[in-house]
């Protein structure tokens, strides 16, 4: 079984870096005896190899164009392989049983292409060169993935314990889903991109294990290296994923953000988080911006029963709507934290965008069309009354009750600008305002019930 015994090999000598090594289907299983170098490495079907916590370095390729071709069995849990082949080559890390523990790729600027799915029981390190999953070869790394070269995911299913991309590195993500399952035990980051991340419109899911509180660090400058669709799926509703940029003050998700379970929060209070698509917070999920003053920008916001959004003390801006026609729909917990919610940015075309929530602080309506279009119907999540605990400002568009008999309470000032409108002629529910200012060109269509003014503006 001893790799270092010359008589165990058909050449009568221990292989060197000039030899194509083949582990055949024989009665004695090969056990590596120390760090060794070979030209190429093959484990044939039925053959067994045990790395024995030593490192096998592959420096070339065989006549079939493979640096490594494992069809047999990997015995034990301590096989480590390094590939330094100075040419474009292929590898097959798909044993009948077992798995290589650690794989290191350090082959200059050359490409290594998978011909079969690959699973590593611990770490993948790409020091230099590229690992390409071909069109759809799945890659699973149970431990840490460190990329100082290039990892190209194509359309493969990619699962990594954690991902660190060095300043010189690039992750060309799969167009499918990259799943992150743990965190780096040294850095404490589950995702740490210092180099380049090309999302290729693929999704990233953080499906972290039991009791893991971790960190995401992404972006070299404002909005760079953005996620496409991001899903947070932690082990418990109390586990936290903290998001921060490497540089600048802006973090961007250019698709949808889904919080299935666990807490997502920003590390620095003044940073801005922009989600161009829909934000969905499911039961057991939470976005916690309680201590944050930075802006939160979203295409739409949906909070399911059991979900929570603890708003920034700054402004949450919603620029679009979900397929349900709701720009904001709250069936769970929304805490305004004395922050402002703004519906629209004055330009984004959204059509009719409905709001469902009981209590706001400051609410700004700045839709894409002037009144009487730019429709923004409001309704309570429960009961018959909506309260705005601060001011209501209608800059552009029409703000009105979805159900004519519902009541609206604004404790502060109501300001209707030239292109704004509050109310419809069908309203019968009561309106209570701190004060009411209607600019030239603005419109207030009063309820057939009572409008009560309780204060005065500045």
């Amino acid at each position: 079984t001893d790799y270092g015994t010359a008589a165990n090999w058909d050449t009568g000598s221990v292989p060197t870096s000039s030899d194509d090594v083949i582990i055949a289907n024989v009665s004695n299983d090969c056990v590596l005896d120390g760090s060794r170098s070979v030209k190429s490495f093959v484990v044939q079907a039925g053959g067994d190899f045990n790395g024995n916590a030593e490192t096998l370095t592959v420096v070339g390729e065989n006549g079939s164009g493979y640096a490594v071709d494992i069809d047999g069995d990997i015995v034990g849990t301590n096989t480590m392989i390094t590939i330094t082949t100075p040419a474009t080559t292929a590898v097959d890390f798909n044993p009948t049983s077992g798995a290589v523990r650690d794989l290191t790729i350090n082959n200059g600027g050359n490409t290594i292409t998978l011909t079969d799915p690959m699973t590593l029981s611990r770490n993948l390190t790409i020091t230099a060169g590229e690992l390409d999953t071909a069109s759809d070869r799945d890659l699973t790394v149970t431990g840490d993935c460190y990329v100082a070269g290039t990892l190209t995911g194509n359309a493969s299913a990619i699962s990594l314990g954690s991902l660190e991309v060095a300043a010189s590195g690039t992750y060309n993500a799969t167009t499918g889903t990259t799943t992150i399952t743990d965190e780096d035990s040294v850095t404490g980051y589950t995702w740490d991109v210092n180099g380049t991340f090309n999302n290729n419109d693929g999704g990233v899911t953080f499906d972290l294990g039991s009791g893991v509180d971790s960190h995401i660090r992404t972006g070299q400058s404002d909005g760079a290296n953005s996620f496409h669709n991001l899903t947070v799926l932690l082990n418990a509703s109390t586990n936290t994923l903290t998001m921060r940029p490497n540089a600048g003050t802006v973090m961007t998700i250019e698709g949808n953000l889904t919080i299935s379970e666990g807490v997502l929060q920003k590390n620095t209070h003044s940073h801005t988080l922009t989600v161009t698509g829909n934000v969905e917070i499911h039961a057991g999920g939470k976005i916690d911006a309680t201590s944050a003053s930075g802006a939160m920008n979203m295409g739409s916001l949906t909070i399911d029963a059991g979900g929570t959004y603890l708003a920034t003390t700054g402004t949450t801006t919603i620029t679009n709507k979900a397929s349900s026609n709701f720009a904001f729909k709250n069936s769970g917990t929304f805490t305004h934290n004395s922050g402002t919610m703004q519906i629209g940015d004055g330009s984004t075309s959204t059509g009719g965008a409905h709001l469902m929530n009981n209590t706001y602080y400051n609410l700004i309506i700045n839709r894409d069309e002037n009144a009487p279009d730019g429709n923004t119907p409001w309704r309570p999540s429960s009961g018959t009354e909506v309260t705005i605990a601060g001011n209501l400002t209608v800059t552009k568009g029409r703000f009105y009750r979805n159900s004519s008999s519902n009541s609206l309470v604004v404790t502060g000032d109501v300001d209707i600008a030239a292109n704004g409108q509050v109310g419809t002629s069908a309203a019968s529910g009561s309106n209570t305002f701190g004060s009411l200012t209607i600019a030239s060109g603005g419109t207030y269509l009063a309820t057939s019930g009572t409008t009560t003014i309780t204060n005065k503006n500045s």
Side-chain angles (χ1 to χ4, degrees):
T1 63
D2 180 34
Y3 187 102
T5 299
N8 286 339
W9 300 96
D10 62 353
T11 59
S13 61
V14 178
T16 70
S17 59
S18 299
D19 293 312
D20 295 314
V21 170
I22 299 172
I23 307 299
N25 183 3
V26 293
S27 57
N28 294 317
D29 302 334
C30 181
V31 179
L32 193 61
D33 66 328
S35 296
R36 298 283 186 176
S37 294
V38 299
K39 180 183 176 186
S40 69
F41 182 66
V42 173
V43 181
Q44 294 180 339
D48 293 341
F49 179 73
N50 186 341
N52 196 32
E54 304 290 350
T55 299
L56 181 70
T57 299
V58 179
V59 302
E61 64 180 3
N62 59 25
S64 299
Y66 280 85
V68 176
D69 186 0
I70 303 176
D71 295 318
D73 303 318
I74 298 296
V75 178
T77 59
N78 296 312
T79 296
M80 298 179 290
I81 294 178
T82 296
I83 301 175
T84 62
T85 303
T88 296
T89 190
V91 295
D92 175 2
F93 280 84
N94 191 25
T96 302
S97 66
V100 171
R101 183 173 73 170
D102 296 330
L103 173 63
T104 299
I105 295 172
N106 187 13
N107 67 336
N110 300 296
T111 300
I112 294 175
T113 302
L114 297 181
T115 61
D116 286 89
M118 180 170 76
T119 296
L120 301 177
S121 64
R122 197 169 67 172
N123 301 332
L124 170 63
T125 302
I126 305 175
T127 305
E130 178 181 11
L131 178 64
D132 191 308
T133 65
S135 60
D136 58 357
R137 307 298 190 259
D138 294 345
L139 171 64
T140 300
V141 179
T142 305
D144 304 326
C145 180
Y146 174 81
V147 182
T150 301
L151 174 61
T152 298
N154 302 289
S156 304
I158 308 291
S159 178
L160 311 172
S162 68
L163 176 65
E164 180 180 356
V165 180
S168 61
T170 298
Y171 176 40
N172 293 316
T174 171
T175 56
T177 300
T178 301
T179 302
I180 308 296
T181 60
D182 209 334
E183 67 175 359
D184 189 293
S185 59
V186 176
T187 66
Y189 284 89
T190 186
W191 179 281
D192 189 4
V193 175
N194 298 280
T196 300
F197 168 57
N198 298 316
N199 65 50
N200 292 317
D201 290 344
V204 176
T205 296
F206 289 91
D207 187 0
L208 304 186
S210 177
V212 175
D213 294 313
S214 196
H215 298 261
I216 301 171
R217 184 161 58 186
T218 188
Q220 294 171 293
S221 60
D222 285 353
N225 289 334
S226 61
F227 293 102
H228 185 62
N229 293 329
L230 177 63
T231 300
V232 176
L233 178 59
L234 305 186
N235 183 259
S237 60
T238 55
N239 290 139
T240 299
L241 196 58
T242 302
M243 193 172 180
R244 67 184 73 183
N246 271 327
T249 60
V250 176
M251 297 167 288
T252 300
I253 300 169
E254 64 177 33
N256 300 327
L257 171 61
T258 303
I259 314 295
S260 295
E261 180 141 19
V263 182
L264 180 69
Q265 64 183 14
K266 295 186 291 184
N267 177 65
T268 301
H269 300 161
S270 60
H271 286 167
T272 297
L273 175 61
T274 297
V275 183
T276 64
N278 302 318
V279 175
E280 296 183 1
I281 307 175
H282 299 316
K286 179 190 293 185
I287 294 178
D288 186 356
T290 301
S291 300
S293 58
M296 299 283 284
N297 303 317
M298 308 173 185
S300 71
L301 174 59
T302 301
I303 308 171
D304 290 343
T308 301
Y309 176 55
L310 306 179
T312 171
T313 59
T315 301
T316 298
T317 300
I318 297 176
T319 58
N320 213 311
K321 62 179 182 178
S323 59
S324 62
N325 283 328
F326 281 92
F328 175 34
K329 184 178 183 181
N330 175 30
S331 302
T333 299
F334 168 72
T335 303
H336 58 62
N337 287 318
S338 298
T340 297
M341 177 169 284
Q342 177 171 316
I343 308 300
D345 60 3
S347 61
T348 305
S349 180
T350 60
H354 291 242
L355 307 180
M356 190 178 88
N357 182 51
N358 278 49
T359 304
Y360 305 84
Y361 187 65
N362 293 327
L363 179 63
I364 298 173
I365 307 299
N366 188 20
R367 296 295 308 287
D368 53 300
E369 294 180 283
N370 297 334
D373 298 309
N375 293 321
T376 309
W378 58 263
R379 70 191 75 187
S381 299
S382 60
T384 61
E385 184 175 282
V386 167
T387 298
I388 300 172
N391 301 325
L392 170 63
T393 304
V394 182
T395 304
K396 191 176 182 181
R398 180 169 64 151
F399 181 70
Y400 63 96
R401 49 181 43 82
N402 184 72
S403 176
S404 61
S405 61
N406 284 343
S407 299
L408 176 64
V409 175
V410 182
T411 63
D413 302 326
V414 175
D415 288 305
I416 307 173
N419 296 314
Q421 176 179 320
V422 171
T424 63
S425 58
S428 60
S430 64
N431 288 335
T432 302
F433 304 149
S435 71
L436 175 60
T437 301
I438 308 168
S440 176
T443 301
Y444 174 58
L445 294 181
T447 172
S448 61
T450 301
T451 299
T452 301
I453 308 292
T454 63
N455 210 317
K456 60 181 180 178
N457 65 21
S458 59

